[in-house]
Amino acid sequence: MIAIGGAIGVGLFLGAGGKLAAAGPSLVFSYALCGLAAFFVMRALGELVLHRPTAGSFVSYAREFIGPWAGFASGWLYWLNWAMTGIAEITAVAIYVHRWLPDLPQWVTALIALVALLAINLLSVKLFGELEFWFSVIKVLAIVVFLVTGIGLLIGGADIGGQQAGVGNLTEHQGLFPAGLGVTLISLQAVVFAYSAIEMVGIAAGETQNPRQVLPRAINGVIWRIGVFYVGSVLLLAMLLPWNAYSGAESPFVTVFSRLGVPGIGDLMNAVVLTAALSSVNSGLYSTGRILRALADNGEAPAFAGRMSSRHVPYGGILFTAVAYLLGVVLNYLVPKEAFDIATAIASFGVVATWATFIICQMRLRTAANRGELTRPSYRMPGAPYTSWATLGFLALVVVLMGFSDGAEHVAFMFLPVIVALLAVGWWWVRNRRPSARTTQPVAANTGD
């Protein structure tokens, strides 16, 4: 439930509206393609977790199978992902609340949400788990209700705010690709962001009682549920209303339910998607706290980030991330309309880097097993190494396509050299401050067979 809850966030509940308005019904293909990549990423992660469950998750895997520099880079890129995602999520909270309190500034709502969730994360991991479980239940129930209701409206050819629901909405409004194939391909970045956080199941592995028994079942469940929820929801949205009925100003789910004419139903759905955004901020504070502690324990993050409370909460890392979230409050003050798109575009780099790390580590694990250096788990990446290379190629394509956008994606792409330079300088500083980092060797040196 934590993995599902982390994954079902504003990428779907808010971002799908703006992308449907931009790419049209072809957005369904983007979700299906990214869902396939997510399937292989999760299976790669599953193989790594079954090899060695750890609360440090892929940072320790990157360090073990690629090298010390990879652990440093992947950890900080993952932190960048969640720092930007948190900014997007608190921006979404402000957008949702704006429906009820239009005169309340976005930055005020974002600040209130941040303070509340920070307090919850600092109290105890048990409280986080309980809250995240119920957040996830609400989101999953909302998606199920939408799917059931949407199918009913579709079968009955219902009138939704003057528009008839039907399969024809996929093709009757300038076709499946109304904006062209290029816009659909560029939308892959936003869809990859929407699928982010499925790796939460791996990060939580080190804090479960029986990871080798629980994780395979949890990962398999996450894969098919996310596929149904995401692809199924976007397909239904595209059939219930013409693509140009949606916008990035509100959740597409709220758009559909508000047009049904049932009093209060739109506000109820808005409350649900509000909990979805709060849930993802909650997940971000949790996961980055653990990642930063893993980095700090290895001398790759400020020592403060590794501090633990008496309740076994890595409060240093959580507070470190919260400071970055405060920059999101400032962004909502300066550019409230662009804050969401800018944050999600930059966060996508962290998502791509994280997923690529899973794949590369799995490839190194397989290579080491073939050499007899370790025993490969029975739960494995299907089709490896061919599916591994194909997934890496897809992730590279997503990054390259961002450079051809004329929107927030292009702005984020221009930041890529800056991010790489900061990581290089950071690793140079860490390596020279701790000489042992230069001599540590990875388990396997090659990604081939």
Side-chain angles (χ1 to χ4, degrees):
M1 290 302 293
I2 287 175
I4 293 173
I8 300 177
V10 294
L12 175 64
F13 279 128
L14 180 61
K19 293 308 172 184
L20 271 171
S26 63
L27 186 67
V28 176
F29 298 116
S30 296
Y31 269 87
L33 187 58
C34 290
L36 181 62
F39 165 76
F40 289 119
V41 167
M42 287 298 288
R43 289 301 298 260
L45 174 59
E47 186 171 342
L48 292 166
V49 169
L50 269 292
H51 159 67
R52 181 172 55 81
T54 171
S57 191
F58 66 94
V59 170
S60 59
Y61 298 136
R63 191 175 292 121
E64 175 183 354
F65 291 106
I66 304 175
W69 68 269
F72 172 84
S74 62
W76 279 109
L77 282 169
Y78 186 72
W79 178 84
L80 174 68
N81 166 28
W82 269 113
M84 292 297 105
T85 297
I87 291 173
E89 304 286 358
I90 61 176
T91 300
V93 168
I95 291 172
Y96 296 147
V97 171
H98 182 76
R99 177 184 175 92
W100 300 312
L101 302 171
D103 295 328
L104 186 66
Q106 273 189 207
W107 70 270
V108 174
T109 310
L111 181 60
I112 293 172
L114 173 59
V115 171
L117 292 173
L118 177 61
I120 289 169
N121 264 270
L122 290 176
L123 287 176
S124 74
V125 67
K126 182 177 181 181
L127 181 59
F128 159 80
E130 290 290 340
L131 182 64
E132 191 59 25
F133 173 81
W134 290 110
F135 271 157
S136 299
V137 168
I138 292 172
K139 288 191 284 188
V140 171
L141 283 176
I143 291 289
V144 171
V145 168
F146 170 75
L147 290 173
V148 173
T149 304
I151 291 172
L153 293 171
L154 187 64
I155 293 174
D159 181 276
I160 305 177
Q163 300 284 348
Q164 185 176 2
V167 178
N169 283 325
L170 293 173
T171 58
E172 291 174 0
H173 304 276
Q174 302 175 10
L176 278 171
F177 296 86
L181 180 61
V183 174
T184 302
L185 291 174
I186 290 174
S187 72
L188 289 172
Q189 166 270 319
V191 179
V192 165
F193 168 78
Y195 278 105
S196 68
I198 56 176
E199 75 285 339
M200 281 291 294
V201 69
I203 291 176
E207 299 182 52
T208 57
Q209 290 184 347
N210 301 299
R212 286 183 170 84
Q213 181 180 358
V214 172
L215 265 295
R217 185 169 67 250
I219 288 174
N220 289 337
V222 168
I223 289 169
W224 74 261
R225 286 183 179 90
I226 294 299
V228 170
F229 293 156
Y230 272 76
V231 181
S233 294
V234 174
L235 180 60
L236 268 178
L237 287 169
M239 292 191 289
L240 291 174
L241 288 172
W243 59 272
N244 50 17
Y246 299 104
S247 75
E250 69 174 357
S251 167
F253 298 89
V254 174
T255 300
V256 171
F257 279 95
S258 296
R259 293 191 175 207
L260 290 178
V262 180
I265 191 70
D267 289 326
L268 178 61
M269 180 54 68
N270 198 58
V272 169
V273 297
L274 174 60
T275 66
L278 292 171
S279 169
S280 292
V281 178
N282 201 32
S283 294
L285 288 171
Y286 170 87
S287 59
T288 52
R290 274 73 187 165
I291 292 297
L292 285 173
R293 179 170 179 258
L295 288 170
D297 287 348
N298 207 50
E300 296 170 355
F304 171 78
R307 293 184 181 177
M308 295 280 285
S309 72
S310 59
R311 296 175 178 268
H312 305 289
V313 173
Y315 71 90
I318 291 173
L319 288 174
F320 190 95
T321 301
V323 171
Y325 285 7
L326 280 175
L327 297 178
V329 175
V330 175
L331 192 64
N332 272 273
Y333 175 77
L334 296 175
V335 284
K337 292 182 187 261
E338 294 82 18
F340 180 81
D341 288 336
I342 293 173
T344 56
I346 296 177
S348 297
F349 289 133
V351 180
V352 169
T354 300
W355 287 14
T357 300
F358 295 156
I359 298 295
I360 295 172
C361 287
Q362 183 277 332
M363 295 170 78
R364 296 289 179 94
L365 184 152
R366 182 177 181 275
T367 300
N370 289 342
R371 290 203 297 254
E373 297 173 7
L374 52 82
T375 301
R376 192 179 177 194
S378 58
Y379 187 80
R380 301 177 177 182
M381 167 88 155
Y386 308 107
T387 51
S388 304
W389 285 113
T391 305
L392 285 177
F394 171 77
L395 295 174
L397 176 65
V398 170
V399 173
V400 171
L401 287 171
M402 290 175 67
F404 292 91
S405 168
D406 56 359
E409 296 87 354
H410 185 75
V411 174
F413 186 82
M414 298 303 292
F415 272 99
L416 185 56
V418 177
I419 295 171
V420 172
L422 288 174
L423 288 173
V425 171
W427 175 243
W428 174 84
W429 183 79
V430 167
R431 186 182 60 180
N432 284 277
R433 190 169 64 93
R434 190 197 58 200
S436 60
R438 291 195 298 265
T439 58
T440 304
Q441 296 298 320
V443 168
N446 299 307
T447 57
D449 286 345

